[in-house]
Amino acid sequence: MLDRERIVSQLNSNRFAVMVMEQTDSTNTALREMAQYGATEGVTLIADTQSGGRGRRGRTFASPQGGLYLSTLLRPQGDADPGVITCRAAVAAARAIESLCDLNVEIKWVNDLFVAGRKVAGILAEGVLSPEGTLTAVVLGIGINVAGTLPPELRDIATTLADQGVSLTREDLAAAFLNGLAHTLCADAEEMMEESRRRSLVLGRTVTVVRGNDTFTATARAITDRGHLVVDTAAGEITLTSGEVSLRL
Ligand code: BTN
């Protein structure tokens, strides 16, 4: 079971109110409900395992024992773009992992973290809307494959930090991520985008874009300051926003 005290004692601000749970269906789902009942910015749920971990575009996120499954609540003032928040969170997560081991972490636009060519973490930022349709909160969730046994169908495309020879505690990683996130959420936008580009696994590469029922091949050219991906296709240049597409390498 996660040691809450070990996380909280390493936080260098009181921005996050951390709760740990043995199991839940999804920390994002649980926190969305709490947001609807008025939970405040910084409320953070961390679960030992999830029975219904969710990824982008309705996918499941395998959440066996040994991984870090964390969601934190943001109450952005004014306009908030979950795509930009995802970029900032990805930079915080990459830095947190690298601060605790020797690995090199890359970002597969927009929400996946890769190590040695395999997915090690995913991010899911979801807006919470009022009945009138106004954005009232963003639930930012991250799942990091720290250790544990991934399902057989993921073994060729995903990895765990333990499989990469790294031994670290989920508590230390959670604290490093939250401390980093406090910084990247308000860091200079240009600095964040530059780091996203430097860590990008897709820039310059041929990718398969899945948009709605459409699947096509493209070359990833640029990531804009708003976190959109510009690709060259047979029909010319197009700009993709994070919500609408998924990429295959
Ligand atoms: C993806 O790979 O598409 C995103 C995965 C996000 C997984 C995290 S685990 C904590 C939080 N709870 C969820 O159900 N999803 C996110």
Side-chain angles (χ1 to χ4, degrees), residues 190-222:
E190 212 168 294
E191 181 202 340
M192 288 296 98
M193 294 322 299
E194 252 168 45
E195 186 161 339
S196 296
R197 292 179 191 117
R198 185 169 55 72
R199 291 183 180 277
S200 175
L201 191 62
V202 301
L203 285 182
R205 286 183 66 171
T206 302
V207 294
T208 302
V209 180
V210 183
R211 182 158 66 165
N213 294 328
D214 228 18
T215 299
F216 53 91
T217 301
T219 305
R221 279 282 166 247

Side-chain angles (χ1 to χ4, degrees), residues 25-29 50 52-57 59-61 63 68-71 111-112 119 121-124 140-144:
D25 56 346
S26 152
T27 53
N28 263 38
T29 305
Q50 299 182 118
R54 297 187 289 107
R56 281 177 72 232
R57 300 172 65 78
R59 298 200 189 98
T60 57
F61 185 80
S63 311
L68 175 64
Y69 313 110
L70 177 157
S71 300
N111 69 314
D112 288 340
K119 177 164 169 169
I123 295 168
L124 178 65
L140 173 65
I142 181 165
I144 306 180

Side-chain angles (χ1 to χ4, degrees), residues 8-27:
V8 173
S9 63
Q10 295 185 70
L11 294 179
N12 48 32
S13 76
N14 56 9
R15 171 173 186 148
F16 300 102
V18 175
M19 289 175 236
V20 302
M21 317 163 82
E22 215 168 297
Q23 214 218 15
T24 181
D25 56 346
S26 152
T27 53

Side-chain angles (χ1 to χ4, degrees), residues 10 68 93 96-97 100 144 146 161 168-178:
Q10 295 185 70
L68 175 64
I97 295 170
L100 295 170
I144 306 180
V146 177
L161 295 175
L168 51 74
T169 72
R170 293 174 298 168
E171 289 86 348
D172 293 357
L173 184 55
F177 171 67
L178 291 172

Side-chain angles (χ1 to χ4, degrees), residues 38 42 50 68 73 75 126 203 229 246:
Q50 299 182 118
L68 175 64
L73 187 65
R75 294 274 187 195
E126 300 182 290
L203 285 182
L229 183 71
S246 72

